[in-house]
């Protein structure tokens, strides 16, 4: 019996054997050629490498380096690829450690469990539950190591809850924390949060600015009390943003007064901005507005009919103040947007344009480059939400911690009056007020005393001023005059003189002759009024209804039963009383 063959026929088997023999011969020939080309490799022993089929590969060119293979395996084993869940858990643990520095410490203690439970509830938005657990911790474990953190966590829960009432309570809690733990590192954070409370409630510059003022005070207090804190840069930036809002408010008010030609008020507002907020983003506009206000005053002086010498002196005073403001723009704000406007105004005044120093140019460039640019999200937020515009606030420089004395409009007005007097009377000395003796009822008439020139005398001391009791009847008049001028003489403004002032008591029997015919203030008849009579007693009220009686409308029925009211079915209807239908509509009964 013959065994079955793999090949279908003897011829196929012979062909397969010839093919295998030819393949082996080609392989031996190729190895011989490689050995002839690379004789160095023939000396190295062949290291057998196991193949998939179980045979050994003795080709040295196909044997990998064992050292390199182990190095790659070690690198591959040392590199651990974290899954998505592992990364998320690591981030969560890192955030928990940041929010709660005491996480993982004494986890089995009851106060620690209460603290962790409260933090978890606060993170989920259950602020009332968190505060209840924290208050329980404070009351139950007075010696716990979590007392300080629990106190701060209560304030943080109010802050995160938001709202006017919650933020007010948060401010109170933060202040209490600073009082109880003034030396703790978290005290600076608490003070920073107090400023953030008012910063969140800030409105636009043209609205109520009380929140902005409080925010400025709290940030300044934080910088003064905790200068070594890591939150100092953040507090300085917030303070710059708050001062940006305050400066915008003052500038807007000054621009409003400028449209009404109220130049003293305009100068006062612009000068306050220049002195108080040096890092304002539109400081060039404020300085140009200040110079324009002084230039408007100079133009007003040119329209007045004054002596030419005095007018020229006044014009020079206001032109110098305007040019000083324009030159400050060119020197200190050379990188601002409106520096060319200041240069044009100086050229129009025929004044030389100054050149800033390299240090001034570098400081201005650094200040302008630190400001952020508007983005689409910023513009949408300013349109949709009622919040101030602090995008262009400075990012460099130390904000001022103390405000200088503000410039007020009455001060500017008095300065303008003094400038007028000095320009029109450059040689005039300061006038001193001289008082005349007290004139009583038996003295000479006032008109004769007014025509007499005032005798020069030394200034009166405080004890020399006469009182009303020194006169006979309490009615007296005091004359004051300026040296070199009669007490009753009227002088014009161009002459630079002063006008005498006469104060007449209301009790004087006759007004002076030069009083213009005006009567003294007060009633003509000074007889005291009679005493007020006591009101007559009110008559006693009498009850006309006898006791035990009741009106007929309220009297109960005689038989004790309630009588149902009449019901008209023709007009009304209900579930029990239906309207008349059919022929009943015409039935009058």
């Amino acid at each position: 019996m013959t065994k079955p063959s793999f090949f279908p026929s003897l011829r196929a088997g012979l062909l397969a054997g010839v093919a295998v023999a030819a393949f082996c011969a080609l392989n031996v020939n190729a190895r011989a050629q490689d050995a002839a080309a690379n004789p160095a490799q023939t000396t190295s022993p062949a290291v057998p490498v196991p193949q998939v089929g179980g045979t050994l590969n003795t080709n040295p060119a196909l044997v990998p380096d064992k050292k390199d293979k182990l190095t790659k395996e070690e690198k591959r084993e040392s590199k651990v690829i974290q899954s998505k869940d592992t990364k998320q858990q690591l981030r969560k643990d890192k955030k928990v450690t940041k929010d709660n520095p005491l996480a993982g410490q004494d986890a089995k203690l009851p106060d620690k469990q209460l603290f962790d439970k409260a933090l978890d509830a606060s993170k989920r938005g259950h602020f009332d539950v968190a505060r209840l657990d924290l208050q329980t911790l404070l009351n139950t474990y007075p010696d716990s190591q979590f007392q300080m953190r629990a106190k701060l966590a209560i304030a943080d829960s109010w802050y995160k809850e938001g709202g006017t009432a919650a933020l007010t309570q948060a401010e109170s809690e933060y202040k209490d924390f600073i009082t109880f733990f003034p030396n703790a590192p978290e005290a600076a954070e608490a003070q920073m949060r107090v400023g953030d409370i008012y910063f969140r409630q800030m409105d636009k510059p043209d609205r109520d600015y009380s929140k902005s003022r409080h925010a400025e005070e709290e940030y300044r207090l934080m910088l003064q009390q905790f200068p070594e804190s890591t939150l100092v840069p953040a507090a300085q930036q917030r303070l710059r943003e708050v001062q940006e809002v305050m400066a915008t408010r003052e500038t807007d008010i000054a621009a409003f007064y400028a449209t009404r030609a109220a130049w003293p008020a305009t100068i006062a507002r612009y000068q306050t901005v220049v002195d108080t907020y040096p890092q304002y983003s539109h400081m060039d506009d404020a300085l140009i507005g200040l110079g324009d206000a002084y230039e408007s005053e100079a133009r007003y002086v040119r329209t007045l009919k004054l002596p030419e010498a005095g007018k020229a002196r006044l014009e020079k005073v206001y032109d110098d103040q305007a040019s000083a403001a324009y030159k400050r723009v060119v020197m200190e704000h050379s990188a601002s947007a409106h520096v060319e406007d200041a240069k044009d105004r100086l050229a129009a005044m025929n004044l030389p344009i100054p050149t800033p120093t390299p240090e001034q140019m570098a400081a201005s460039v650094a200040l302008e480059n630190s400001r952020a640019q508007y983005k689409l999200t910023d513009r949408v937020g300013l349109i949709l939400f009622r919040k101030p515009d602090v995008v262009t606030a400075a990012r460099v420089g130390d904000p001022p911690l103390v405000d200088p004395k503000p410039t007020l409009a009455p001060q500017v007005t008095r300065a303008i009056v003094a400038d007028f007097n000095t320009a029109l009377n450059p040689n005039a000395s300061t006038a001193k007020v001289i008082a005349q003796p007290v004139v009583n009822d038996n003295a000479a008439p006032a008109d004769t005393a007014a025509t007499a020139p005032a005798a020069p005398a030394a200034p009166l001391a405080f004890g020399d001023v006469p009182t009303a009791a020194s006169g006979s009847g309490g009615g007296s008049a005091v004359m004051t005059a300026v040296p070199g001028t009669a007490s009753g003489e009227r002088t014009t403004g161009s002459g630079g003189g002063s006008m005498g002032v006469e104060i007449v008591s209301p009790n004087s029997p006759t007004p002076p002759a030069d009083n213009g015919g005006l009567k003294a203030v007060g009633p003509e008849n000074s007889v005291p009024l009679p005493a007020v009579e006591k009101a007559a007693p009110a008559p006693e009220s009498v009850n006309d209804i006898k006791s035990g009686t009741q009106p007929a409308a309220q009297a109960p029925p005689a038989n004790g039963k309630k009588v149902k009211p009449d019901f008209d079915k023709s007009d009304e209807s209900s579930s029990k009383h239906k309207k008349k239908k059919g022929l009943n509509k015409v039935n009058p009964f």
Side-chain angles (χ1 to χ4, degrees), residues 286-299:
L287 287 171
I288 291 176
L290 179 63
D292 292 344
Y294 281 120
E295 192 63 23
S296 300
E297 288 286 352
R299 287 196 298 268

Side-chain angles (χ1 to χ4, degrees), residues 41 70 186 218 226 243 301 338 408 445 472 520 586:
Q41 293 184 359
L70 294 177
E186 291 80 2
E218 296 299 337
F226 309 98
Q243 292 180 348
V301 170
H338 298 88
L408 303 179
S472 59
V586 297

Side-chain angles (χ1 to χ4, degrees), residues 44-81:
S44 61
V47 180
V49 179
Q51 299 293 327
V52 178
T55 60
L56 295 178
N57 183 11
T58 59
N59 186 4
L62 300 178
V63 178
D65 191 0
K66 185 176 181 181
K67 183 177 180 181
D68 296 337
K69 184 177 181 180
L70 294 177
T71 304
K72 292 180 180 179
E73 290 179 357
E74 290 177 355
K75 290 182 180 180
R76 191 181 300 110
E77 290 178 358
S78 62
K79 183 178 180 181
V80 179
I81 301 176

